[in-house]
């Protein structure tokens, strides 16, 4: 590639080859974005982790490029977001075209007071490089390149993983194995497991084009454009003047032929104009798939990312949902390993993230059906919706050029304590915290204060010193953040500097929010009550799920 030099990574000879055994708390298979995030999260929590990858570099080609706001907030917690956002191209605006005219535009983040944009565009190889460098800076993490997993044997209390390295084969043992080894997951095959779902017939060409252009940093999507009749096209700007172009090809396209420069160039010339100067850097042809494993937990092996679920790329739901898998999993795994929660808490990872996968698959399937109508009647409905959308807001809700990634709300999870009083705000029970500017000791944004374990946010609520200390010393400790009050001993105070926190959380005096370690709201009340908070923490740590199982 002209704009990026692939790093080549090396590692020391595995000590197991000299007869020195090592038992790892966690082994991660796969050093893509999902596996690397798992390793960073574990290492930041002081848990030793080994990452195995059969390659010795980052991904070739841009692949995943759209990183959603929620993912960037997770990467903030992992210490990586500043570099990724600094290198990436920020965008909030999308435009939809039908034939030869724009029919509407949308803004995914129309309000101020958020640290991160709705999306940034950055090639996957840059994201992986930054994640590798973060991982290498953490002493609890070890990356072994050119280390291919050959076999996995599960036992009641551990997993044995057979590995092929350039110097020979060896076996490592771990308490837990996280399989983040991609859509074709060798680990999944070794355990005799499969994904279920469907593949769509239409083929799509994606190409990275190096081009200096005045196109704005926005998402442009065309239905039936004059330069590509009866099909769709997509244009995104990435870092280093690289542009992602997607062309719908139809079900009968020959993938090998369509990747040839002599086939790609005329399409690009028709789209970009005769005066445009550009070079093709990378191209691939893919077919939509929407599939997932029936369960993401199998004994002591936990599947995440594309190894667990696959969706079409329109909507940016693949890598974003994979990183959100890790955000859900690692804090639960930490509690289990520390003896602060029963092993059954990991079943909630499976339940919550299969629910999220089904939501993503549903959105992805609907996008595919709208972009690629399967009948003349479907096409007529789609075209009518597009024509109406130019003048009528209601019709824009029918247009689907890829519903863009949003975090899943987990309100139905047994780990969530139901509301007993009404809340009228943007924050949803079971959903992630919404950021807001604050003045406080750990930074200028609310989410930077929610990066530890359980956290109670209290709006002008009298949480006493004794209650604060009691929560801090429980089996699952909980920090107390007070908004608008002077801090009590052991607690800290935040100033709602722009009054956005009170508005976004309906923060009437006395209101309390309880956040899980993954920053999801697991309970909220209109007044503080220590026993209620303790019960909600116990439920979020798996007690509620165990009670439900026992009742059944």
């Amino acid at each position: 590639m002209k704009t990026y030099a692939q790093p080549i990574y090396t590692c020391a000879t595995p000590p197991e080859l000299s007869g020195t055994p090592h038992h790892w708390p966690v082994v991660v298979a796969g050093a893509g974005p999902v596996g690397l995030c798992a390793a960073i999260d574990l290492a930041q929590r002081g848990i030793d982790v080994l990452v195995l990858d059969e390659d010795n570099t980052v991904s070739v080609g841009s692949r995943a490029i759209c990183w959603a706001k929620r993912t960037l907030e997770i990467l903030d917690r992992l210490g990586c977001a500043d570099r990724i956002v600094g290198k990436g191209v920020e965008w909030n605006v999308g435009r939809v075209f039908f034939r030869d005219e724009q029919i509407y535009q949308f803004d995914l983040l129309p309000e101020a007071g958020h640290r991160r944009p709705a999306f940034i565009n950055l090639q996957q190889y840059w994201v992986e490089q930054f994640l590798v460098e973060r991982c290498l800076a953490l002493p609890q993490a070890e990356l072994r390149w050119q280390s291919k997993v050959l076999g996995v044997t599960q036992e009641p209390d551990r997993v044995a993983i057979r590995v092929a390295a350039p110097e020979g084969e060896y076996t490592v043992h771990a308490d837990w194995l996280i399989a983040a080894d991609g859509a074709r997951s060798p680990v999944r095959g070794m355990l005799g497991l499969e994904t279920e779902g469907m593949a769509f017939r239409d083929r799509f060409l994606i190409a990275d084009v190096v081009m200096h252009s005045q196109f704005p940093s926005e998402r442009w999507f065309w239905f039936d454009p004059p330069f590509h009749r009866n099909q769709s096209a997509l244009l995104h700007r990435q870092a280093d003047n690289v542009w992602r172009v997607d062309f719908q090809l139809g079900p009968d396209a020959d993938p090998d032929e369509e990747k040839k420069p002599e086939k790609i160039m005329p399409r690009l010339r028709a789209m970009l104009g005769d005066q445009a100067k550009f070079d093709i850097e990378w191209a691939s042809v893919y077919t939509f798939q929407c599939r997932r494993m029936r369960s993401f937990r199998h004994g002591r092996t936990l599947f995440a990312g594309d190894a667990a679920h696959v969706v079409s790329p329109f909507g940016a739901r693949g890598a974003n949902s994979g990183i959100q898998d890790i955000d859900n999993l690692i804090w639960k795994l930490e509690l289990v390993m520390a003896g602060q929660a029963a092993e059954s808490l990991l079943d909630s990872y499976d339940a919550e993230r299969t629910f999220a996968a089904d939501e993503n698959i549903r959105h992805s399937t609907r996008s595919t059906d709208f972009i690629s109508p399967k009948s003349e009647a479907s096409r007529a409905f789609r075209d009518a919706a597009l024509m109406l959308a130019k003048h009528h807001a209601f019709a824009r809700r029918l247009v689907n050029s890829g519903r863009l990634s949003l975090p899943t709300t987990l309100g139905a999870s047994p780990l969530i304590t139901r509301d007993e009083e009404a809340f009228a705000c943007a924050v949803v029970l079971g959903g992630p915290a919404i950021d807001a500017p604050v003045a406080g000791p750990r930074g200028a944004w609310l989410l930077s204060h929610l990066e530890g374990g359980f956290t109670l946010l209290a709006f002008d609520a009298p949480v006493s010193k004794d209650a604060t200390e009691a929560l801090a010393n429980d089996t699952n400790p909980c920090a107390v953040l007070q908004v608008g009050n002077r801090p009590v001993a052991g607690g800290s105070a935040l100033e709602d500097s722009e009054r956005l926190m009170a508005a976004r959380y309906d923060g009437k005096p006395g209101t309390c929010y309880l956040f899980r370690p993954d920053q999801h709201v697991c309970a909220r009340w209109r007044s503080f009550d220590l026993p209620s908070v303790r019960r909600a923490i116990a439920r979020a740590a798996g007690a509620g799920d165990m009670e439900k199982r026992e009742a059944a």
Side-chain angles (χ1 to χ4, degrees), residues 96-104 220-231 270 382-383 386-387 390:
V96 178
F97 301 83
F98 182 41
R99 295 174 182 156
D100 58 354
E101 63 179 338
Q102 178 180 318
I103 56 174
Y104 71 94
W220 287 16
F221 194 101
W222 289 267
F223 293 94
D224 191 13
F227 56 81
H228 194 49
R229 281 298 182 196
N230 300 314
Q231 305 286 11
R382 187 199 72 177
D383 292 353
L386 289 165
M387 287 186 284
K390 182 177 181 181

mmCIF file of all heavy atoms in Angstrom, residues 96-104 220-231 270 382-383 386-387 390:
data_model
loop_
_atom_site.group_PDB
_atom_site.id
_atom_site.type_symbol
_atom_site.label_atom_id
_atom_site.label_comp_id
_atom_site.label_asym_id
_atom_site.label_seq_id
_atom_site.Cartn_x
_atom_site.Cartn_y
_atom_site.Cartn_z
ATOM 1 N N VAL A 96 -28.103 11.175 1.720
ATOM 2 C CA VAL A 96 -28.705 10.086 0.950
ATOM 3 C C VAL A 96 -29.152 10.660 -0.399
ATOM 4 O O VAL A 96 -29.840 11.684 -0.452
ATOM 5 C CB VAL A 96 -29.904 9.471 1.693
ATOM 6 C CG1 VAL A 96 -30.545 8.373 0.853
ATOM 7 C CG2 VAL A 96 -29.454 8.900 3.047
ATOM 8 N N PHE A 97 -28.733 9.967 -1.473
ATOM 9 C CA PHE A 97 -29.059 10.390 -2.826
ATOM 10 C C PHE A 97 -29.910 9.321 -3.505
ATOM 11 O O PHE A 97 -29.712 8.112 -3.265
ATOM 12 C CB PHE A 97 -27.787 10.600 -3.653
ATOM 13 C CG PHE A 97 -26.844 11.627 -3.090
ATOM 14 C CD1 PHE A 97 -25.935 11.296 -2.091
ATOM 15 C CD2 PHE A 97 -26.872 12.929 -3.550
ATOM 16 C CE1 PHE A 97 -25.063 12.241 -1.566
ATOM 17 C CE2 PHE A 97 -26.004 13.893 -3.034
ATOM 18 C CZ PHE A 97 -25.098 13.537 -2.044
ATOM 19 N N PHE A 98 -30.810 9.771 -4.361
ATOM 20 C CA PHE A 98 -31.617 8.857 -5.181
ATOM 21 C C PHE A 98 -31.531 9.336 -6.624
ATOM 22 O O PHE A 98 -31.884 10.473 -6.932
ATOM 23 C CB PHE A 98 -33.064 8.843 -4.696
ATOM 24 C CG PHE A 98 -33.961 7.894 -5.450
ATOM 25 C CD1 PHE A 98 -33.519 6.630 -5.821
ATOM 26 C CD2 PHE A 98 -35.252 8.258 -5.806
ATOM 27 C CE1 PHE A 98 -34.338 5.747 -6.509
ATOM 28 C CE2 PHE A 98 -36.087 7.390 -6.493
ATOM 29 C CZ PHE A 98 -35.629 6.127 -6.852
ATOM 30 N N ARG A 99 -30.998 8.449 -7.436
ATOM 31 C CA ARG A 99 -30.760 8.785 -8.838
ATOM 32 C C ARG A 99 -29.827 9.985 -8.931
ATOM 33 O O ARG A 99 -28.674 9.873 -8.508
ATOM 34 C CB ARG A 99 -32.080 8.962 -9.572
ATOM 35 C CG ARG A 99 -32.863 7.627 -9.637
ATOM 36 C CD ARG A 99 -34.234 7.762 -10.224
ATOM 37 N NE ARG A 99 -34.895 6.437 -10.197
ATOM 38 C CZ ARG A 99 -36.207 6.257 -10.192
ATOM 39 N NH1 ARG A 99 -37.031 7.318 -10.255
ATOM 40 N NH2 ARG A 99 -36.709 5.045 -10.161
ATOM 41 N N ASP A 100 -30.279 11.137 -9.401
ATOM 42 C CA ASP A 100 -29.357 12.241 -9.647
ATOM 43 C C ASP A 100 -29.520 13.402 -8.673
ATOM 44 O O ASP A 100 -29.070 14.515 -8.939
ATOM 45 C CB ASP A 100 -29.505 12.754 -11.079
ATOM 46 C CG ASP A 100 -30.923 13.212 -11.392
ATOM 47 O OD1 ASP A 100 -31.804 13.016 -10.531
ATOM 48 O OD2 ASP A 100 -31.140 13.750 -12.491
ATOM 49 N N GLU A 101 -30.155 13.169 -7.499
ATOM 50 C CA GLU A 101 -30.331 14.274 -6.573
ATOM 51 C C GLU A 101 -30.259 13.804 -5.121
ATOM 52 O O GLU A 101 -30.553 12.655 -4.809
ATOM 53 C CB GLU A 101 -31.655 14.994 -6.817
ATOM 54 C CG GLU A 101 -32.884 14.140 -6.589
ATOM 55 C CD GLU A 101 -34.182 14.907 -6.811
ATOM 56 O OE1 GLU A 101 -34.165 16.151 -6.726
ATOM 57 O OE2 GLU A 101 -35.208 14.260 -7.073
ATOM 58 N N GLN A 102 -29.860 14.746 -4.255
ATOM 59 C CA GLN A 102 -29.887 14.475 -2.820
ATOM 60 C C GLN A 102 -31.321 14.563 -2.342
ATOM 61 O O GLN A 102 -32.032 15.517 -2.652
ATOM 62 C CB GLN A 102 -29.037 15.496 -2.071
ATOM 63 C CG GLN A 102 -29.065 15.310 -0.557
ATOM 64 C CD GLN A 102 -28.229 16.334 0.182
ATOM 65 O OE1 GLN A 102 -27.128 16.657 -0.228
ATOM 66 N NE2 GLN A 102 -28.750 16.848 1.292
ATOM 67 N N ILE A 103 -31.744 13.557 -1.538
ATOM 68 C CA ILE A 103 -33.116 13.602 -1.035
ATOM 69 C C ILE A 103 -33.187 14.071 0.416
ATOM 70 O O ILE A 103 -34.187 14.642 0.832
ATOM 71 C CB ILE A 103 -33.832 12.246 -1.218
ATOM 72 C CG1 ILE A 103 -33.062 11.101 -0.556
ATOM 73 C CG2 ILE A 103 -34.064 11.960 -2.693
ATOM 74 C CD1 ILE A 103 -33.803 9.783 -0.582
ATOM 75 N N TYR A 104 -32.140 13.829 1.212
ATOM 76 C CA TYR A 104 -32.083 14.418 2.552
ATOM 77 C C TYR A 104 -30.709 14.184 3.154
ATOM 78 O O TYR A 104 -29.891 13.428 2.610
ATOM 79 C CB TYR A 104 -33.178 13.873 3.468
ATOM 80 C CG TYR A 104 -33.009 12.433 3.914
ATOM 81 C CD1 TYR A 104 -32.384 12.117 5.121
ATOM 82 C CD2 TYR A 104 -33.510 11.380 3.149
ATOM 83 C CE1 TYR A 104 -32.243 10.820 5.539
ATOM 84 C CE2 TYR A 104 -33.382 10.066 3.566
ATOM 85 C CZ TYR A 104 -32.741 9.786 4.759
ATOM 86 O OH TYR A 104 -32.600 8.494 5.165
ATOM 87 N N TRP A 220 -21.773 9.517 2.246
ATOM 88 C CA TRP A 220 -22.637 9.712 1.082
ATOM 89 C C TRP A 220 -23.074 8.350 0.555
ATOM 90 O O TRP A 220 -22.225 7.505 0.224
ATOM 91 C CB TRP A 220 -21.908 10.481 -0.018
ATOM 92 C CG TRP A 220 -21.726 11.952 0.289
ATOM 93 C CD1 TRP A 220 -21.846 12.557 1.500
ATOM 94 C CD2 TRP A 220 -21.369 12.977 -0.639
ATOM 95 N NE1 TRP A 220 -21.591 13.904 1.396
ATOM 96 C CE2 TRP A 220 -21.302 14.198 0.091
ATOM 97 C CE3 TRP A 220 -21.109 13.003 -2.008
ATOM 98 C CZ2 TRP A 220 -20.973 15.414 -0.515
ATOM 99 C CZ3 TRP A 220 -20.780 14.211 -2.603
ATOM 100 C CH2 TRP A 220 -20.729 15.401 -1.868
ATOM 101 N N PHE A 221 -24.378 8.159 0.465
ATOM 102 C CA PHE A 221 -24.932 6.891 -0.024
ATOM 103 C C PHE A 221 -25.888 7.185 -1.180
ATOM 104 O O PHE A 221 -26.773 8.025 -1.054
ATOM 105 C CB PHE A 221 -25.680 6.153 1.097
ATOM 106 C CG PHE A 221 -25.985 4.721 0.759
ATOM 107 C CD1 PHE A 221 -25.211 3.697 1.264
ATOM 108 C CD2 PHE A 221 -27.044 4.387 -0.086
ATOM 109 C CE1 PHE A 221 -25.474 2.364 0.944
ATOM 110 C CE2 PHE A 221 -27.313 3.067 -0.414
ATOM 111 C CZ PHE A 221 -26.523 2.049 0.099
ATOM 112 N N TRP A 222 -25.693 6.467 -2.286
ATOM 113 C CA TRP A 222 -26.532 6.630 -3.483
ATOM 114 C C TRP A 222 -27.364 5.378 -3.749
ATOM 115 O O TRP A 222 -26.837 4.246 -3.702
ATOM 116 C CB TRP A 222 -25.678 6.855 -4.719
ATOM 117 C CG TRP A 222 -24.971 8.162 -4.844
ATOM 118 C CD1 TRP A 222 -25.410 9.285 -5.482
ATOM 119 C CD2 TRP A 222 -23.647 8.473 -4.373
ATOM 120 N NE1 TRP A 222 -24.453 10.276 -5.430
ATOM 121 C CE2 TRP A 222 -23.361 9.801 -4.754
ATOM 122 C CE3 TRP A 222 -22.681 7.758 -3.666
ATOM 123 C CZ2 TRP A 222 -22.161 10.429 -4.452
ATOM 124 C CZ3 TRP A 222 -21.483 8.378 -3.357
ATOM 125 C CH2 TRP A 222 -21.237 9.697 -3.750
ATOM 126 N N PHE A 223 -28.644 5.576 -4.034
ATOM 127 C CA PHE A 223 -29.492 4.537 -4.602
ATOM 128 C C PHE A 223 -29.688 4.850 -6.087
ATOM 129 O O PHE A 223 -30.083 5.963 -6.449
ATOM 130 C CB PHE A 223 -30.864 4.510 -3.918
ATOM 131 C CG PHE A 223 -30.837 4.070 -2.477
ATOM 132 C CD1 PHE A 223 -30.768 4.995 -1.449
ATOM 133 C CD2 PHE A 223 -30.888 2.728 -2.153
ATOM 134 C CE1 PHE A 223 -30.757 4.607 -0.121
ATOM 135 C CE2 PHE A 223 -30.874 2.314 -0.822
ATOM 136 C CZ PHE A 223 -30.810 3.257 0.194
ATOM 137 N N ASP A 224 -29.370 3.885 -6.931
ATOM 138 C CA ASP A 224 -29.591 4.007 -8.373
ATOM 139 C C ASP A 224 -28.992 5.300 -8.938
ATOM 140 O O ASP A 224 -29.681 6.093 -9.601
ATOM 141 C CB ASP A 224 -31.100 3.948 -8.667
ATOM 142 C CG ASP A 224 -31.396 3.791 -10.167
ATOM 143 O OD1 ASP A 224 -30.457 3.491 -10.934
ATOM 144 O OD2 ASP A 224 -32.562 4.007 -10.546
ATOM 145 N N PRO A 225 -27.699 5.547 -8.702
ATOM 146 C CA PRO A 225 -27.107 6.796 -9.199
ATOM 147 C C PRO A 225 -26.867 6.733 -10.704
ATOM 148 O O PRO A 225 -26.791 5.646 -11.293
ATOM 149 C CB PRO A 225 -25.781 6.861 -8.440
ATOM 150 C CG PRO A 225 -25.420 5.433 -8.206
ATOM 151 C CD PRO A 225 -26.719 4.714 -7.963
ATOM 152 N N PRO A 226 -26.718 7.885 -11.371
ATOM 153 C CA PRO A 226 -26.488 7.888 -12.822
ATOM 154 C C PRO A 226 -25.182 7.207 -13.217
ATOM 155 O O PRO A 226 -25.060 6.717 -14.351
ATOM 156 C CB PRO A 226 -26.478 9.379 -13.175
ATOM 157 C CG PRO A 226 -26.285 10.106 -11.884
ATOM 158 C CD PRO A 226 -26.866 9.246 -10.832
ATOM 159 N N PHE A 227 -24.208 7.159 -12.299
ATOM 160 C CA PHE A 227 -22.926 6.522 -12.633
ATOM 161 C C PHE A 227 -22.922 5.018 -12.342
ATOM 162 O O PHE A 227 -21.913 4.344 -12.613
ATOM 163 C CB PHE A 227 -21.778 7.206 -11.875
ATOM 164 C CG PHE A 227 -21.944 7.231 -10.372
ATOM 165 C CD1 PHE A 227 -21.623 6.128 -9.597
ATOM 166 C CD2 PHE A 227 -22.433 8.358 -9.732
ATOM 167 C CE1 PHE A 227 -21.777 6.150 -8.225
ATOM 168 C CE2 PHE A 227 -22.586 8.396 -8.351
ATOM 169 C CZ PHE A 227 -22.261 7.299 -7.595
ATOM 170 N N HIS A 228 -24.020 4.494 -11.796
ATOM 171 C CA HIS A 228 -24.058 3.057 -11.444
ATOM 172 C C HIS A 228 -25.520 2.630 -11.381
ATOM 173 O O HIS A 228 -26.045 2.302 -10.324
ATOM 174 C CB HIS A 228 -23.354 2.859 -10.097
ATOM 175 C CG HIS A 228 -23.012 1.432 -9.756
ATOM 176 N ND1 HIS A 228 -22.369 0.583 -10.613
ATOM 177 C CD2 HIS A 228 -23.224 0.710 -8.609
ATOM 178 C CE1 HIS A 228 -22.187 -0.580 -10.027
ATOM 179 N NE2 HIS A 228 -22.715 -0.535 -8.817
ATOM 180 N N ARG A 229 -26.169 2.624 -12.515
ATOM 181 C CA ARG A 229 -27.619 2.454 -12.582
ATOM 182 C C ARG A 229 -28.093 1.123 -11.992
ATOM 183 O O ARG A 229 -27.439 0.092 -12.142
ATOM 184 C CB ARG A 229 -28.092 2.545 -14.038
ATOM 185 C CG ARG A 229 -28.190 3.974 -14.562
ATOM 186 C CD ARG A 229 -29.201 4.750 -13.761
ATOM 187 N NE ARG A 229 -29.401 6.117 -14.233
ATOM 188 C CZ ARG A 229 -29.980 7.066 -13.544
ATOM 189 N NH1 ARG A 229 -30.404 6.840 -12.317
ATOM 190 N NH2 ARG A 229 -30.129 8.275 -14.047
ATOM 191 N N ASN A 230 -29.254 1.233 -11.318
ATOM 192 C CA ASN A 230 -29.968 0.080 -10.729
ATOM 193 C C ASN A 230 -29.204 -0.588 -9.593
ATOM 194 O O ASN A 230 -29.581 -1.675 -9.147
ATOM 195 C CB ASN A 230 -30.299 -0.961 -11.806
ATOM 196 C CG ASN A 230 -31.182 -0.402 -12.891
ATOM 197 O OD1 ASN A 230 -32.178 0.270 -12.602
ATOM 198 N ND2 ASN A 230 -30.815 -0.649 -14.142
ATOM 199 N N GLN A 231 -28.139 0.055 -9.109
ATOM 200 C CA GLN A 231 -27.380 -0.488 -7.990
ATOM 201 C C GLN A 231 -27.176 0.623 -6.957
ATOM 202 O O GLN A 231 -27.747 1.715 -7.087
ATOM 203 C CB GLN A 231 -26.026 -1.032 -8.482
ATOM 204 C CG GLN A 231 -26.122 -2.056 -9.606
ATOM 205 C CD GLN A 231 -26.608 -3.417 -9.144
ATOM 206 O OE1 GLN A 231 -27.075 -3.573 -8.018
ATOM 207 N NE2 GLN A 231 -26.508 -4.424 -10.005
ATOM 208 N N ALA A 270 -16.455 6.964 -13.588
ATOM 209 C CA ALA A 270 -17.844 7.404 -13.760
ATOM 210 C C ALA A 270 -18.368 8.075 -12.499
ATOM 211 O O ALA A 270 -19.139 9.039 -12.559
ATOM 212 C CB ALA A 270 -18.719 6.207 -14.124
ATOM 213 N N ARG A 382 -39.474 0.526 -2.195
ATOM 214 C CA ARG A 382 -38.264 1.257 -1.827
ATOM 215 C C ARG A 382 -38.173 2.589 -2.566
ATOM 216 O O ARG A 382 -37.904 3.634 -1.971
ATOM 217 C CB ARG A 382 -37.023 0.424 -2.137
ATOM 218 C CG ARG A 382 -35.750 1.058 -1.636
ATOM 219 C CD ARG A 382 -34.529 0.515 -2.319
ATOM 220 N NE ARG A 382 -34.424 0.973 -3.711
ATOM 221 C CZ ARG A 382 -33.407 0.675 -4.506
ATOM 222 N NH1 ARG A 382 -32.426 -0.099 -4.060
ATOM 223 N NH2 ARG A 382 -33.363 1.127 -5.751
ATOM 224 N N ASP A 383 -38.404 2.565 -3.872
ATOM 225 C CA ASP A 383 -38.284 3.797 -4.658
ATOM 226 C C ASP A 383 -39.342 4.822 -4.256
ATOM 227 O O ASP A 383 -39.066 6.034 -4.235
ATOM 228 C CB ASP A 383 -38.376 3.475 -6.150
ATOM 229 C CG ASP A 383 -37.168 2.689 -6.664
ATOM 230 O OD1 ASP A 383 -36.210 2.517 -5.878
ATOM 231 O OD2 ASP A 383 -37.186 2.257 -7.824
ATOM 232 N N LEU A 386 -38.120 6.456 -1.102
ATOM 233 C CA LEU A 386 -37.055 7.402 -1.402
ATOM 234 C C LEU A 386 -37.601 8.712 -1.980
ATOM 235 O O LEU A 386 -37.146 9.801 -1.613
ATOM 236 C CB LEU A 386 -36.043 6.771 -2.362
ATOM 237 C CG LEU A 386 -35.157 5.663 -1.765
ATOM 238 C CD1 LEU A 386 -34.466 4.883 -2.860
ATOM 239 C CD2 LEU A 386 -34.138 6.256 -0.802
ATOM 240 N N MET A 387 -38.573 8.613 -2.863
ATOM 241 C CA MET A 387 -39.140 9.827 -3.445
ATOM 242 C C MET A 387 -39.897 10.644 -2.396
ATOM 243 O O MET A 387 -39.812 11.875 -2.368
ATOM 244 C CB MET A 387 -40.047 9.456 -4.622
ATOM 245 C CG MET A 387 -39.266 8.996 -5.860
ATOM 246 S SD MET A 387 -40.306 8.713 -7.321
ATOM 247 C CE MET A 387 -41.063 7.142 -6.881
ATOM 248 N N LYS A 390 -37.780 12.939 0.218
ATOM 249 C CA LYS A 390 -37.256 14.259 -0.121
ATOM 250 C C LYS A 390 -38.059 15.368 0.564
ATOM 251 O O LYS A 390 -37.509 16.411 0.946
ATOM 252 C CB LYS A 390 -37.256 14.457 -1.631
ATOM 253 C CG LYS A 390 -36.665 15.795 -2.066
ATOM 254 C CD LYS A 390 -36.606 15.931 -3.564
ATOM 255 C CE LYS A 390 -35.994 17.281 -3.955
ATOM 256 N NZ LYS A 390 -35.932 17.474 -5.413
#
